[in-house]
Amino acid sequence: MTYITTLLKTQSNNGKPKQQENLTEDLDEFLASLPKEKGWRTPNLFLFQGFWCQPKEIRAIISTQNHFKAQDSDLILATIPKSGTTWLKALTFAIVNRNKFSVQHNNHQHPLLTHNPHELVPFLEYKLYADCNRLPNLSLLPSPRLVAIHVPFEALPDSVKTSKCKIVYICRNPFDTFVSIWHYLDKIRPKSLGPLPFEEAFDMYCRGVIGFGPYWDHMLGYWRESLETPNKVLFLRYEDMKADICDQLKKLAEFLGFPFTDEEAKEGIIEDISTLCSFQNMKDLQVNKKGKGAISNYENKDLFRKGEIGDWVNYFTPSMFERLSNVMEEKLGGSGLTFRVC
């Protein structure tokens, strides 16, 4: 699969709107107008369009909002970081492309065996529109175009909201999400910034100061949209996926427009996809043990830690559990959005 590399090499800088030019030329002045807090892996995070992000992300998000034109056939994966993004990308790619790439055990040529899922399902803001001076030629993406994004629903490009494209959203219980994001960012945090103590990071997390956060607002945006337009937004929970992956895969495939046939079910295709995309299988692949660059220039292995439910109990004190429980009740109470935490 080389189409991602190809389309990035054939970018042009034509048609850059005034808003984007101003932001590129006067970034410091623009950032000075935004509320800011200490960052997790950058010196500062800025409150932009109601959520926290770093300077490079702001430019890339504006470029995405200005230029990405969703097609009705597009499939967009939206997630909070470290909530099952890599897994969802792998599963979705395998489902959509199973007629092109067999998922049965005897196929050793499947792209997921030699490529990290982030290479096969590119992020809009981290990959395709990461360079604000160049625009990707998205016509080179195979149809249906399969892309991903981390921004809240409210910050999606207008065309995503108004077109008939479909959005799949996955989130994880906030306890495990915090532990996972802290471990990941601790690995990629520049040494020049020093360590970010667990307790300090937890305080920032509870206050909502984290990239693309507050996470409760992020989840609620997609949750409410999934209730209002269930044909457009599919809301998945990481814990439900772990509890019954085959049932969830059937739901996902049906929503995407690639339902499993009775014959496929009898042949074990659903189980084959589950095995191919399993946490342990992906973690053990050479591309994920030794490769790098699937996300920025970071090691692919850092994307895989435990993938377990309930690991937070090994880190939280009783007072931390109480505080985050209170935050969840305050922010999510009455919404109908609940989580199993162990």
Side-chain angles (χ1 to χ4, degrees):
M1 293 295 290
T2 60
Y3 62 84
I4 300 299
T5 303
T6 302
L7 72 90
L8 289 173
K9 285 182 178 179
T10 57
Q11 292 171 325
S12 69
N13 58 1
N14 296 328
K16 188 166 59 176
K18 191 172 188 296
Q19 180 187 17
Q20 185 186 350
E21 289 177 349
N22 289 342
L23 185 55
T24 302
E25 296 169 1
D26 304 315
L27 181 61
D28 290 340
E29 181 179 348
F30 177 75
L31 292 178
S33 69
L34 301 177
K36 70 176 182 179
E37 290 257 9
K38 176 181 177 180
W40 289 58
R41 66 180 178 91
T42 55
N44 294 296
L45 284 172
F46 295 87
L47 188 61
F48 172 71
Q49 296 185 357
F51 62 99
W52 295 93
C53 47
Q54 55 183 306
K56 284 185 177 181
E57 292 168 350
I58 291 175
R59 289 195 292 186
I61 290 167
I62 287 182
S63 181
T64 302
Q65 292 171 337
N66 285 340
H67 297 295
F68 179 69
K69 304 302 181 187
Q71 299 176 356
D72 289 344
S73 59
D74 285 348
L75 303 174
I76 299 176
L77 309 183
T79 63
I80 287 172
K82 304 308 294 177
S83 62
T85 305
T86 307
W87 191 22
L88 180 62
K89 285 188 174 186
L91 292 169
T92 305
F93 182 88
I95 289 171
V96 171
N97 292 284
R98 67 185 186 274
N99 289 330
K100 186 185 302 182
F101 305 113
S102 171
V103 296
Q104 294 181 317
H105 297 301
N106 59 359
N107 178 22
H108 302 295
Q109 305 300 316
H110 197 286
L112 282 169
L113 298 177
T114 54
H115 293 73
N116 182 276
H118 294 286
E119 297 178 79
L120 302 174
V121 184
F123 274 113
L124 290 170
E125 73 273 44
Y126 280 125
K127 179 68 73 173
L128 300 179
Y129 292 93
D131 186 344
C132 296
N133 293 314
R134 298 185 299 169
L135 298 178
N137 180 4
L138 298 188
S139 67
L140 298 177
L141 284 174
S143 182
R145 300 188 308 186
L146 188 55
V147 294
I149 198 164
H150 273 326
V151 304
F153 182 83
E154 293 76 13
L156 290 172
D158 289 340
S159 61
V160 173
K161 302 173 189 176
T162 58
S163 70
K164 295 180 181 179
C165 74
K166 294 185 176 182
I167 302 169
V168 179
Y169 183 80
I170 189 171
C171 64
R172 192 178 186 182
N173 83 73
F175 293 83
D176 282 329
T177 300
F178 168 70
V179 173
S180 183
I181 195 71
W182 179 77
H183 274 289
Y184 179 67
L185 293 180
D186 184 59
K187 291 177 182 177
I188 67 174
R189 181 178 166 91
K191 293 182 179 180
S192 60
L193 294 180
L196 181 60
F198 188 82
E199 295 77 9
E200 183 179 351
F202 180 74
D203 176 70
M204 296 166 68
Y205 181 77
C206 288
R207 292 189 291 111
V209 182
I210 184 170
F212 302 101
Y215 282 179
W216 4 100
D217 294 344
H218 199 293
M219 292 186 290
L220 281 175
Y222 286 96
W223 170 249
R224 289 166 177 159
E225 197 63 30
S226 73
L227 297 178
E228 293 180 11
T229 56
N231 292 328
K232 184 172 182 65
V233 180
L234 175 65
F235 193 98
L236 301 173
R237 293 175 179 83
Y238 184 88
E239 292 74 24
D240 294 339
M241 301 282 284
K242 294 282 283 187
D244 191 344
I245 182 59
C246 290
D247 182 66
Q248 294 294 306
L249 283 181
K250 292 177 185 177
K251 180 193 298 185
L252 176 60
E254 184 76 29
F255 176 81
L256 293 171
F258 293 83
F260 296 108
T261 64
D262 291 340
E263 183 179 355
E264 286 179 316
K266 292 178 182 177
E267 291 176 353
I269 297 300
I270 302 173
E271 290 80 3
D272 287 339
I273 290 177
S274 173
T275 300
L276 173 67
C277 303
S278 68
F279 179 87
Q280 198 58 51
N281 187 59
M282 289 193 294
K283 185 176 182 178
D284 290 342
L285 292 173
Q286 197 67 16
V287 66
N288 295 323
K289 293 171 66 175
K290 301 292 184 181
K292 64 184 303 184
I295 297 292
S296 189
N297 198 37
Y298 304 127
E299 301 284 344
N300 291 354
K301 64 181 180 181
D302 290 338
L303 293 166
F304 304 89
R305 194 177 68 89
K306 289 186 176 182
E308 297 176 353
I309 298 173
D311 188 43
W312 64 270
V313 301
N314 298 312
Y315 297 87
F316 276 44
T317 64
S319 63
M320 294 172 76
F321 173 76
E322 181 179 8
R323 181 179 179 186
L324 186 51
S325 296
N326 290 336
V327 170
M328 290 175 61
E329 177 59 32
E330 176 189 350
K331 303 298 184 180
L332 303 179
S335 68
L337 178 56
T338 59
F339 294 93
R340 296 195 303 270
V341 296
C342 61

